């Protein structure tokens, strides 16, 4: 979401000093904002590539703007670590279950009120990492990138929780199938 992209880009810029091969993929909620996001990030002296313009990734690319529709599964598949947008601002967050199902470690900000019940269950299962601000986000990302065992553990916890959530839904569907609907 607006403003979050620049905050994430600033984190990327600082982390790149420690992780020189770091690539951040930003998939904007509103793809038509792709060019605007690129422009804002390039002001930070970071190299971007815009998917909708067919720009290719190179070793120099810092941030890839995936401003397309229908490809979130691809980005979740290639990522190990996902930050959920709409959660650093009081928007209420986006769906965090999808990347969990793709075995990604998932980090969210303080504003996840669109998913209160699921968040409570995920927190209880230690399947999600919730940060209060960008400083804590940067610290957590650094820890996860420096500690493969911790990253893998968080990925497994997220996946196991998401899988257990699916089983609950499957059980509800089985019960509903047996009902007569008018």
């Amino acid at each position: 979401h607006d403003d979050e992209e620049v905050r994430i880009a600033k984190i990327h810029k600082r982390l790149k000093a420690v992780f020189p091969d770091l690539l951040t993929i930003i998939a904007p909620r509103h793809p038509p904002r792709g060019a605007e996001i690129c422009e804002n990030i390039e002001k930070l002296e970071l190299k971007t590539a815009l998917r909708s313009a067919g720009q290719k990734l190179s070793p120099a690319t810092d941030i890839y703007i995936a401003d397309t529709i229908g490809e979130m599964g691809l980005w979740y598949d290639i990522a190990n670590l996902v930050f959920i947008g709409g959660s650093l601002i009081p928007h209420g967050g986006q769906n965090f279950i999808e990347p969990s199902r793709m075995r990604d470690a998932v980090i969210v900000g303080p504003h996840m009120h669109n998913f209160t019940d699921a968040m409570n269950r995920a927190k209880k299962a230690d399947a999600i990492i919730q940060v209060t601000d960008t400083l804590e986000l940067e610290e957590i990302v650094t820890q996860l990138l420096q500690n493969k065992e911790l990253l893998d553990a968080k990925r497994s916890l997220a996946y196991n929780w998401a899988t257990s959530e699916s089983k609950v839904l499957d059980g509800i569907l089985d019960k509903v199938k047996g009902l007569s609907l008018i």
Side-chain angles (χ1 to χ4, degrees):
H1 285 268
D2 192 22
D3 181 49
E4 286 181 313
E5 301 100 353
V6 170
R7 293 193 216 179
I8 297 299
K10 288 177 180 177
I11 291 171
H12 174 95
K13 190 170 185 171
R14 289 188 297 270
L15 289 178
K16 187 142 177 132
V18 179
F19 308 101
D21 295 330
L22 183 66
L23 173 68
T24 297
I25 300 170
I26 294 178
R29 179 74 172 143
H30 303 287
R33 294 186 54 248
E36 170 194 341
I37 294 166
C38 276
E39 185 179 312
N40 291 337
I41 290 173
E42 287 172 352
K43 289 176 186 174
L44 300 172
E45 299 178 357
L46 291 168
K47 175 109 173 93
T48 64
L50 186 63
R51 183 151 176 86
S52 65
Q55 296 173 349
K56 304 289 183 196
L57 287 170
S58 76
T61 305
D62 292 303
I63 299 186
Y64 190 53
I65 310 298
D67 60 336
T68 50
I69 298 288
E71 296 185 317
M72 284 306 293
L74 171 64
W75 312 127
Y76 291 150
D77 191 37
I78 63 174
N80 291 327
L81 176 58
V82 172
F83 173 75
I84 299 298
S87 66
L88 283 175
I89 58 173
H91 176 76
Q94 301 298 336
N95 187 336
F96 68 92
I97 299 171
E98 292 172 0
S100 298
R101 287 183 183 161
M102 299 296 287
R103 293 185 190 269
D104 295 325
V106 180
I107 304 172
V108 300
H111 304 285
M112 286 297 293
H113 54 267
N114 292 340
F115 299 90
T116 303
D117 291 340
M119 277 293 299
N120 289 336
R121 292 190 305 274
K123 282 184 192 178
K124 186 175 180 181
D126 197 23
I128 193 141
I129 303 164
Q130 188 167 31
V131 299
T132 56
D133 56 27
T134 53
L135 180 61
E136 190 177 2
L137 173 61
E138 185 174 341
E139 291 170 1
I140 293 294
V141 170
T142 300
Q143 288 174 17
L144 292 170
L145 293 177
Q146 288 178 332
N147 186 335
K148 185 176 175 354
E149 288 92 22
L150 178 61
L151 177 61
D152 289 345
K154 288 297 185 180
R155 292 176 69 201
S156 291
L157 286 165
Y159 177 75
N160 292 340
W161 173 79
T163 301
S164 71
E165 288 287 301
S166 296
K167 290 177 183 171
V168 169
L169 290 176
D170 291 342
I172 292 169
L173 283 175
D174 287 343
K175 290 181 181 180
V176 170
K177 285 178 188 175
L179 299 175
S180 315
L181 301 176
I182 299 175

